[in-house]
Amino acid sequence: MRRVPPPTPISSPRIVAIPIAFNEAHAIGRVIDRLHQVPGVDVVVVDDGSTDGTASAIRRHGARAIASPVQRGAGASIRAGYAWARAQGYDICVVLSGNDKDRPVEIPALVGPIVSGAADLVQGSRFMPGGAHRNMPRYRHVACRYVHAVLFSLAAGQRLTDTTNGFRALRLSALDDDDLDLDQPWLDTYDLEPYLLLRLIRLGYAVREVPVTKVYPQPGAPYTKMRAIIDWWSIVRPVVLLGLRLRT
């Protein structure tokens, strides 16, 4: 494994949270309001080409938006958020869902290991002790906890319990590494998050998990915009391609 400098503490860190939203007019206001209650965390919503009033809801609830004129995908949205945060001089960026499934009150637990110098990336886990999830569909629970996490851990050589959870915090200086390339077009959808997680581990960065909560809508209500097969494959693809060393 290539040696990288160990993480160091960050005094007076600048932290920004970037909810990713596509047609979340019904939920994004609650997300923003909850984020405004977290001390020391700025809020910028990445609006991925919404057409349903999401932009108006963002303005009404007092947040800034990074808006795309068309839908580009979750990975492209996260990449845009990271680029904006780095250009603005932030130290830590927290990614979370724009559909109100995550709990912003848990952000201090996510950023804590980075601030203290114990981690470069902190992955939220609903499955480790102290974590929780509610209304999670059974098949999704099995796929996330027992399929993806196991395959990912084997490829990474490090055991993780929740590798598909999009609630995480990143020390942005890690993106200065020339051996980390987020600008590859194949990372525009759901591939980017597992790619970043796996690549940072392989490059020798300190990755930790902390327990978090994920609350799904009541049974029968829509809970995801992921497309069956196509988007499921995009989550697995980085593990396969990096595991077989077909991509870097």
Side-chain angles (χ1 to χ4, degrees), residues 149-212:
V150 170
L151 293 175
F152 186 99
S153 297
L154 289 171
Q158 175 177 331
R159 183 176 180 271
L160 294 174
T161 63
D162 194 355
T163 51
T164 59
N165 194 341
F167 194 20
R168 60 169 59 93
L170 174 68
R171 182 190 300 259
L172 287 167
S173 60
L175 299 182
D176 294 333
D177 195 316
D178 291 336
D179 288 330
L180 184 66
D181 183 8
L182 297 188
D183 292 325
Q184 302 175 73
W186 68 283
L187 300 176
D188 281 353
T189 56
Y190 294 98
D191 310 75
L192 185 138
E193 294 173 281
Y195 169 87
L196 176 62
L197 185 61
L198 181 52
R199 194 76 179 111
L200 285 178
I201 292 173
R202 287 191 160 188
L203 289 172
Y205 287 89
V207 172
R208 302 286 183 267
E209 285 186 305
V210 299
V212 297

Side-chain angles (χ1 to χ4, degrees), residues 8-234:
T8 57
I10 306 174
S11 59
S12 302
R14 295 188 66 210
I15 303 169
V16 62
I18 55 167
I20 309 301
F22 171 67
N23 287 349
E24 299 292 353
H26 63 292
I28 192 62
R30 293 193 301 272
V31 176
I32 294 169
D33 290 345
R34 289 174 175 174
L35 284 168
H36 283 325
Q37 296 173 16
V38 184
V41 176
D42 295 334
V43 184
V44 177
V45 180
V46 182
D47 181 359
D48 188 24
S50 297
T51 59
D52 71 336
T54 294
S56 297
I58 293 169
R59 290 193 297 269
R60 286 198 310 272
H61 289 265
R64 180 171 179 173
I66 302 170
S68 171
V70 297
Q71 185 183 16
R72 298 180 58 210
S77 296
I78 293 169
R79 189 166 57 222
Y82 284 155
W84 183 90
R86 295 174 74 193
Q88 299 299 314
Y90 284 97
D91 301 296
I92 300 171
C93 185
V94 178
V95 176
L96 70 161
S97 173
N99 61 10
D100 201 31
K101 286 192 291 192
D102 298 312
R103 292 294 163 263
V105 70
E106 297 173 333
I107 287 177
L110 277 177
V111 302
I114 299 176
V115 174
S116 69
D120 296 298
L121 183 146
V122 179
Q123 171 71 38
S125 172
R126 68 204 117 168
F127 302 128
M128 68 185 300
H133 56 85
R134 294 198 292 274
N135 304 325
M136 188 176 187
R138 178 66 179 172
Y139 83 90
R140 193 173 183 87
H141 180 275
V142 171
C144 293
R145 185 172 188 175
Y146 299 110
V147 179
H148 195 278
V150 170
L151 293 175
F152 186 99
S153 297
L154 289 171
Q158 175 177 331
R159 183 176 180 271
L160 294 174
T161 63
D162 194 355
T163 51
T164 59
N165 194 341
F167 194 20
R168 60 169 59 93
L170 174 68
R171 182 190 300 259
L172 287 167
S173 60
L175 299 182
D176 294 333
D177 195 316
D178 291 336
D179 288 330
L180 184 66
D181 183 8
L182 297 188
D183 292 325
Q184 302 175 73
W186 68 283
L187 300 176
D188 281 353
T189 56
Y190 294 98
D191 310 75
L192 185 138
E193 294 173 281
Y195 169 87
L196 176 62
L197 185 61
L198 181 52
R199 194 76 179 111
L200 285 178
I201 292 173
R202 287 191 160 188
L203 289 172
Y205 287 89
V207 172
R208 302 286 183 267
E209 285 186 305
V210 299
V212 297
T213 305
K214 184 79 75 173
V215 179
Y216 288 78
Q218 291 295 324
Y223 69 91
T224 183
K225 294 184 174 66
M226 293 185 68
R227 298 164 297 176
I229 309 301
I230 295 174
D231 290 333
W232 296 346
W233 164 241
S234 73

